[in-house]
Amino acid sequence: RLALGSARIGPETRDHPGRRQLILMLVIAAISLGGSWLLFFASQQGVWGTTNKGAFVTPAVAVRDLHLVDAAGAEFSGNGLWWLWVVQEQRCDQACDDALHQLRQLHVLLSRDADRVHRALLTSPPVPSDALVAKYPGLRLLSGSGSPLAAGIYIVDPLGNLVLHYPVDASGKSVLTDLKRLLKVSQIG
């Protein structure tokens, strides 16, 4: 018989590489989950800012829910295009007129993407079209009976969702920056 001496080979002294790998994988998973949890809650608290200048429209509003009609009385669907809307509750006052002028200038600044974006004025009661259409060619006049929107400027995507909202007196540069970014990353419209 061979004597092994005092060295006993048993489960308490064996090397377990599988156990170490399992523990290492669990530690890495716990760190990943904990880190992502911290990042999520930090972003909810506003630690990081967003790059958009306008406010997201929340809760989501779809064009079809607004029951819009154009000046001819035809139902408005958006036709799969990007839209810039000026929303005014009553008649178009000076602030509204300034916003329409600004949107016309933004439309020109879009250059090669200008054909992807259309402009509209949305009011509760329909507004007389002759003066506005003559002053702002290409402007579409809309009126709606759906839920009222706050006055301001809206960007509407080709799927018919209102995406971003700006005050009526918002800087045109803010709207242009956001719109160019949306057009650049968009695969639709």
Side-chain angles (χ1 to χ4, degrees):
R1 288 187 177 196
L2 292 173
L4 294 174
S6 64
R8 290 182 50 195
I9 298 176
E12 60 272 5
T13 60
R14 279 193 199 146
D15 191 19
H16 294 289
R19 184 179 293 168
R20 285 187 192 143
Q21 289 176 351
L22 177 64
I23 291 172
L24 182 63
M25 288 185 343
L26 290 175
V27 167
I28 290 172
I31 290 171
S32 297
L33 287 174
S36 62
W37 182 79
L38 287 173
L39 286 174
F40 173 76
F41 285 106
S43 68
Q44 296 295 319
Q45 300 301 321
V47 174
W48 293 288
T50 61
T51 59
N52 56 298
K53 309 290 188 222
F56 287 111
V57 178
T58 53
V61 176
V63 171
R64 68 180 173 280
D65 298 336
L66 298 174
H67 309 289
L68 301 175
V69 293
D70 62 11
E75 185 176 342
F76 176 77
S77 65
N79 302 332
L81 302 169
W82 287 93
W83 286 88
L84 286 172
W85 285 358
V86 173
V87 175
Q88 186 69 25
E89 292 180 19
Q90 302 296 322
R91 327 177 325 125
C92 194
D93 58 4
Q94 185 61 40
C96 171
D97 190 54
D98 291 343
L100 288 173
H101 178 74
Q102 190 174 53
L103 289 189
R104 183 178 63 185
Q105 290 175 330
L106 292 177
H107 197 251
V108 171
L109 289 173
L110 287 173
S111 62
R112 67 181 176 116
D113 287 327
D115 59 338
R116 295 175 65 189
V117 181
H118 296 270
R119 298 170 289 127
L121 170 64
L122 173 61
T123 58
S124 320
V127 294
S129 62
D130 297 338
L132 286 173
V133 171
K135 190 172 182 181
Y136 303 108
L139 180 69
R140 188 111 178 243
L141 301 175
L142 304 172
S143 61
S145 61
S147 64
L149 296 172
I153 300 170
Y154 289 85
I155 295 178
V156 182
D157 72 5
L159 299 176
N161 300 309
L162 281 73
V163 180
L164 293 170
H165 173 256
Y166 306 86
V168 174
D169 59 350
S171 163
K173 187 175 181 179
S174 301
V175 178
L176 182 63
T177 302
D178 286 347
L179 185 59
K180 279 187 173 184
R181 186 174 296 120
L182 287 170
L183 291 172
K184 181 179 179 181
V185 299
S186 173
Q187 299 297 318
I188 54 175

